[in-house]
Amino acid sequence: MLRTLRWWWGILLAFALLAVSRIFLPLPFVIEVVIFSIYTLGCSFLLGRVGFISFGQPAYLAAGAYGTAFYLFYFGANPYVGILAGVLSGLVLSVIVGPLFVRLRSDYFALVNLALAVIIYYLMQKVLAGLTKGDNGLWFLTNIASTPLLDLTRPQQFFIFALLVAVAVWGFFKYLDDSVFGATCLATKINEDKLRFLGYSNYRVRLLAFVIANTTTALAGALYAIYLGFVSPEITSPSRAADPVVVTILGGAGTLYGPIIGAFAYTGLKDVISKLIGNWELFIGFLLVFIMLAGEKGIWGTLQPLLQKLFRRGKLAPAAAGGKERP
């Protein structure tokens, strides 16, 4: 029991603080942070663990959002089934394009994913306009049925559901980080030859990591669809392709809690600065340059060693005091 609590305590503390912030912050802001952090987590895993920088995350976000939207607009009303449909859509897209994309590295991988986002955007806006309603989008908020226990049509209960989903997702990624697969992901980024020498396939490791990360992104898209009750091609707009990469670097690439910190900082700065100046992205750009020059660790990557030192001192102080009191 104690081992289980030690394993989970960091995740539970992080999301408990996020839940408490709801007392002081508007509900839409906190919901945006939760979903955006799930969206960023996939990108952070790809960049920090596998070495893939992806500017195509809006494509997988759109796959999840439109998978949910198509179900709720044309077929059914259960939001849980809609979320499942969105996740499966992202999984199918990842499985289709993954075997081709993971053979590429560096700039080529980034550009081919960006091209996929452009293709999906054009498909949803023009080619499939009969199904997607083009720029008008799909409106299905009134189609979503109320559900027992947690009614996802109510923002407060949706927030609880999104929080529980996020805890489960972070638990899964923490398990991956602690597993052999997590180690092989890091190894394929650092030393491909050594991983091959140990008998692992770099291609299979990257493919599985690619599918897991982008299916997580599709989950975020499905949650956005349920929360907004509306999906349009703008969700996969290439103009927003850099957002998850920026948040990943801002929070700390490859770190477990970097996406939460990055999403909170990015969303907060956007809301505050956009009220003062129109081009709020300029400030984010300067902040990003500063973080990169300071060591590329991001906010959480910089704070984590300091917090660990404080925690260790807190543990050692009582032990030292106890030692002095002995006769």
Side-chain angles (χ1 to χ4, degrees), residues 249-250 285-298 302:
I249 298 172
L250 192 63
F286 280 123
L287 179 61
L288 199 62
V289 170
F290 174 78
I291 289 174
M292 293 295 289
L293 292 175
E296 304 180 11
K297 294 181 179 179
T302 303

Side-chain angles (χ1 to χ4, degrees), residues 7-27:
W7 195 87
W8 278 99
W9 81 269
I11 297 172
L12 295 177
L13 177 62
F15 285 99
L17 291 173
L18 197 57
V20 170
S21 70
R22 164 68 189 96
I23 300 172
F24 311 100
L25 298 170
L27 181 60

Side-chain angles (χ1 to χ4, degrees), residues 30-320:
V30 185
I31 291 176
E32 171 71 17
V33 169
V34 173
I35 301 178
F36 203 173
S37 62
I38 296 174
Y39 177 29
T40 306
L41 183 60
C43 183
S44 178
F45 185 77
L46 284 176
L47 179 57
R49 283 282 175 175
V50 192
F52 281 147
I53 182 168
S54 174
F55 289 107
Q57 294 310 105
Y60 310 103
L61 187 75
Y66 271 102
T68 300
F70 284 150
Y71 169 79
L72 292 172
F73 191 85
Y74 291 108
F75 302 108
N78 190 309
Y80 294 109
V81 177
I83 292 172
L84 180 60
V87 172
L88 289 176
S89 299
L91 175 62
V92 170
L93 178 62
S94 300
V95 169
I96 291 173
V97 303
L100 300 174
F101 287 10
V102 298
R103 296 180 185 277
L104 305 172
R105 297 294 285 173
S106 189
D107 300 340
Y108 296 103
F109 179 86
L111 291 174
V112 77
N113 271 279
L114 179 59
L116 177 65
V118 174
I119 291 169
I120 296 293
Y121 178 73
Y122 181 73
L123 285 173
M124 297 306 173
Q125 186 186 42
K126 301 291 184 183
V127 179
L128 300 177
L131 291 174
T132 65
K133 309 303 178 185
D135 287 327
N136 293 326
L138 295 173
W139 295 83
F140 49 87
L141 184 61
T142 56
N143 296 0
I144 303 176
S146 298
T147 50
L149 296 179
L150 289 175
D151 185 358
L152 302 190
T153 61
R154 299 178 179 273
Q156 186 64 47
Q157 295 188 36
F158 176 82
F159 168 64
I160 297 172
F161 173 76
L163 207 62
L164 293 174
V165 169
V167 169
V169 169
W170 255 259
F172 175 68
F173 273 88
K174 179 174 172 58
Y175 170 76
L176 289 183
D177 287 349
D178 296 343
S179 68
V180 174
F181 175 71
T184 57
C185 286
L186 197 57
T188 194
K189 173 187 175 182
I190 298 172
N191 195 324
E192 299 177 17
D193 294 333
K194 184 173 287 187
L195 186 65
R196 193 181 299 110
F197 176 78
L198 292 173
Y200 292 96
S201 168
N202 285 285
Y203 170 76
R204 291 180 181 177
V205 170
R206 292 169 187 163
L207 178 59
L208 183 55
F210 179 88
V211 171
I212 290 172
N214 292 324
T215 303
T216 304
T217 299
L219 171 61
L223 292 175
Y224 270 127
I226 296 294
Y227 175 57
L228 299 173
F230 165 75
V231 173
S232 76
E234 190 61 28
I235 197 169
T236 188
S237 173
S239 64
R240 308 264 33 117
D243 286 357
V245 178
V246 169
V247 176
T248 293
I249 298 172
L250 192 63
T255 61
L256 189 62
Y257 303 108
I260 305 174
I261 303 296
F264 196 95
Y266 182 85
T267 306
L269 288 171
K270 178 181 71 174
D271 288 358
V272 172
I273 299 171
S274 61
K275 294 177 182 178
L276 303 176
I277 57 175
N279 298 320
W280 58 271
E281 292 94 342
L282 183 64
F283 182 85
I284 298 291
F286 280 123
L287 179 61
L288 199 62
V289 170
F290 174 78
I291 289 174
M292 293 295 289
L293 292 175
E296 304 180 11
K297 294 181 179 179
I299 298 173
W300 178 250
T302 303
L303 291 177
Q304 187 177 10
L306 300 176
L307 293 174
Q308 286 177 342
K309 286 182 181 179
L310 289 174
F311 184 71
R312 286 172 186 169
R313 286 179 183 176
K315 272 188 169 182
L316 292 173

